[in-house]
Amino acid sequence: MSTENEGTAVPPAPSAPPVPVDIPAASPQHPAHAPAYAPTDDDPTAQMPVTPPGAPGTPGAPGQPPHAPGAPAYAAANSQGGSPGAAPEGGWPPPPPPHAYPEPGAGGPGDGSGWGTSYAQPAPKPGGRRGGLLAAVLGAALVAGGLGGGIGYTLAKGDDTSSTTVSASDSGGDLKRDAGTVAAVTAKALPSTVTIEAESSSGEGGTGTGFVFDTEGHIVTNNHVVAEAVDGGKLSATFPNGKKYDAEVVGNAQGYDVAVIKLKNAPSGLKPLTLGNSDQVAVGDSTIAIGAPFGLSNTVTTGIISAKNRPVASSDGTGSQASYMSALQTDASINPGNSGGPLLDAKGNVIGINSAIQSSSNGGFGTGQSGSIGLGFAIPINQAKYVAQELIKTGKPVYAKIGASVSLEDTSGGAKITDTGAGGTDPVEAGGPADKAGLKPGDVITKLDETVIDSGPTLIGEIWTHKPGDKVTITYERGGKTDTVEVTLGSRVGDS
């Protein structure tokens, strides 16, 4: 599915993937009559197209309806020096597919790049700074009586000399929000969320969201939110009370699309958001998303969990590497700028990090930046927590692996171990997990534990929900026969 990195989604087993979400830049030169909240091509966040794993006409696993006309699908990727569509160690780092999402002319930012829409770089403002949002403020006059905070009525006597007015008993007083209501959850969570501004050394950048992870000042967000500032750029985080702090990148994981930054001169009394258990989330559970869509900081939206384990592939905007996730899908409104923000359950616990959205191909508000159509995707917090803790400890991500290269081509039958690895390496790492388990080039992996695997990207995303050392059961096909084998996952440190 696509999201603003808010990223590209890979169909569930099978289904379709999404794009990443950063804040679109605003142009102060917009005419006064321009549409309100009109995103521009210099939006800092790029939308990623959906990438269903099925072959043309078969976007998903057997039994699923064909992919909707016009919806982007996973493009075949050619590994450097290897056979087409091959990716090392479970597909990482995979080369970007040759096709862009959406197709050229569809209005999506980043046309011509791989893995969906590329991360949109806002055009530099005067002075080399970009970002911001021009929004027309529309006023509406309330003409009819009885509209507003109080409801009442007037009983007029025949002589019109007196009247009786009935008002709400709590009119003008403080309203107490019951625990568990959206208002109560929001009041508690908002003070621990921040709007992040990232700027590269050349002055380009964008906006995203993050949330307080611990009392030491660590903030968790998406990698694609801070990618511009990783090498010598500038970072800042602004709380809802208006206090702004400079920050630095502690570590970033491109494959997971997770990053940790730390506030400089962090204030005392920081209240980390409570982390929930994303494994216990059920379809239909209520969700609350907090972020800065299109630059509108501290925005709260609600919805439900629409699906779980949705395969999603997205780009960090550089066009060189992709990230994979087995995402939580929600219909809470998520737009560019929501990236990195918390997805909460009804009790205010963080269950995911908003990362990508599936969007229509014609853009939003008549521009190239599409908005929410009710298909948002979040990185499950159980996975994000593990990644964040590793980044705080060592500054580098640790990935689970099977030690085999798999095809990234459009298929619906599973993840095929390629005949040649990336860069001419062996497709099955000698002495690696797959080798020890007896897997060979040409084997087609169709299940990992009880999860159906319909493509290489789906397999990668599912492997990365595990930790090195975990034992998994792999079902595969060879020579027309199906067999299973237990594999102990290995590890790889870093993104390179």
Side-chain angles (χ1 to χ4, degrees):
M1 317 288 299
S2 293
T3 58
E4 174 221 314
N5 205 7
E6 276 287 52
T8 303
V10 176
S15 79
V19 182
V21 179
D22 287 353
I23 296 182
S27 172
Q29 289 80 28
H30 281 316
H33 62 279
Y37 313 133
T40 63
D41 287 337
D42 53 356
D43 292 338
T45 307
Q47 298 180 339
M48 301 305 302
V50 178
T51 56
T58 58
Q64 288 205 343
H67 194 55
Y74 268 121
N78 294 321
S79 58
Q80 298 179 350
S83 61
E89 296 186 358
W92 184 261
H99 307 299
Y101 296 92
E103 296 184 3
D111 287 350
S113 67
W115 290 116
T117 313
S118 65
Y119 182 75
Q121 302 295 343
K125 292 181 177 181
R129 177 96 175 115
R130 62 174 192 166
L133 175 67
L134 176 63
V137 180
L138 304 180
L142 297 180
V143 179
L147 296 182
I151 298 178
Y153 65 90
T154 300
L155 299 178
K157 293 184 178 180
D159 56 5
D160 294 330
T161 58
S162 64
S163 65
T164 300
T165 300
V166 179
S167 301
S169 61
D170 55 5
S171 178
D174 292 333
L175 294 177
K176 182 178 181 180
R177 309 300 180 188
D178 292 334
T181 62
V182 174
V185 169
T186 298
K188 184 176 179 180
L190 260 177
S192 296
T193 63
V194 297
T195 298
I196 298 172
E197 293 183 35
E199 182 179 306
S200 68
S201 56
S202 63
E204 296 183 339
T207 306
T209 308
F211 61 91
V212 177
F213 187 69
D214 59 26
T215 57
E216 268 109 62
H218 289 109
I219 304 293
V220 171
T221 185
N222 282 142
N223 169 70
H224 73 265
V225 169
V226 302
E228 291 283 353
V230 170
D231 297 318
K234 296 180 180 179
L235 270 179
S236 67
T238 304
F239 285 84
N241 62 7
K243 292 185 178 180
K244 185 174 183 178
Y245 298 86
D246 290 334
E248 60 185 354
V249 177
V250 172
N252 61 303
Q254 296 176 348
Y256 292 121
D257 196 18
V258 173
V260 176
I261 67 175
K262 187 174 183 180
L263 304 178
K264 296 180 180 179
N265 301 315
S268 60
L270 288 175
K271 295 182 179 180
L273 290 184
T274 303
L275 305 184
N277 186 344
S278 51
D279 290 341
Q280 295 180 352
V281 170
V283 174
D285 281 352
S286 296
T287 58
I288 301 172
I290 300 178
F294 295 107
L296 302 176
S297 300
N298 314 316
T299 294
V300 177
T301 55
T302 63
I304 63 170
I305 291 294
S306 305
K308 296 177 62 177
N309 305 317
R310 190 70 80 187
V312 175
S314 60
S315 166
D316 66 358
T318 64
S320 61
Q321 294 185 345
S323 62
Y324 298 92
M325 71 182 90
S326 182
L328 295 176
Q329 180 180 325
T330 180
D331 66 349
S333 182
I334 296 175
N335 289 284
N338 275 105
S339 283
L343 183 67
L344 309 173
D345 63 17
K347 293 183 179 180
N349 302 313
V350 180
I351 55 175
I353 299 178
N354 300 318
S355 181
I357 58 171
Q358 168 67 53
S359 58
S360 57
S361 61
N362 60 354
F365 302 106
T367 72
Q369 183 71 61
S370 298
S372 172
I373 58 172
L375 294 174
F377 303 88
I379 302 168
I381 195 59
N382 288 9
Q383 177 182 7
K385 176 183 177 181
Y386 163 72
V387 176
Q389 291 173 334
E390 290 297 320
L391 292 176
I392 292 172
K393 289 179 183 177
T394 67
K396 296 181 179 180
V398 178
Y399 298 91
K401 69 173 186 177
I402 62 171
S405 296
V406 295
S407 173
L408 298 178
E409 295 178 350
D410 261 352
T411 65
S412 60
K416 181 179 180 181
I417 298 179
T418 57
D419 295 324
T420 304
T425 60
D426 293 333
V428 177
E429 176 188 335
D435 185 32
K436 291 180 179 178
L439 294 175
K440 299 178 180 180
D443 288 349
V444 178
I445 298 173
T446 57
K447 290 181 69 177
L448 191 151
D449 290 333
E450 296 304 315
T451 301
V452 175
I453 302 300
D454 53 22
S455 67
T458 300
L459 175 64
I460 298 169
E462 191 60 31
I463 288 174
W464 285 354
T465 65
H466 293 77
K467 300 177 183 178
D470 285 353
K471 296 182 183 297
V472 298
T473 298
I474 287 181
T475 301
Y476 65 96
E477 295 179 355
R478 179 190 298 170
K481 297 182 179 180
T482 299
D483 203 351
T484 61
V485 65
E486 185 177 78
V487 177
T488 301
L489 300 177
S491 66
R492 175 175 60 80
V493 178
D495 283 306
S496 59

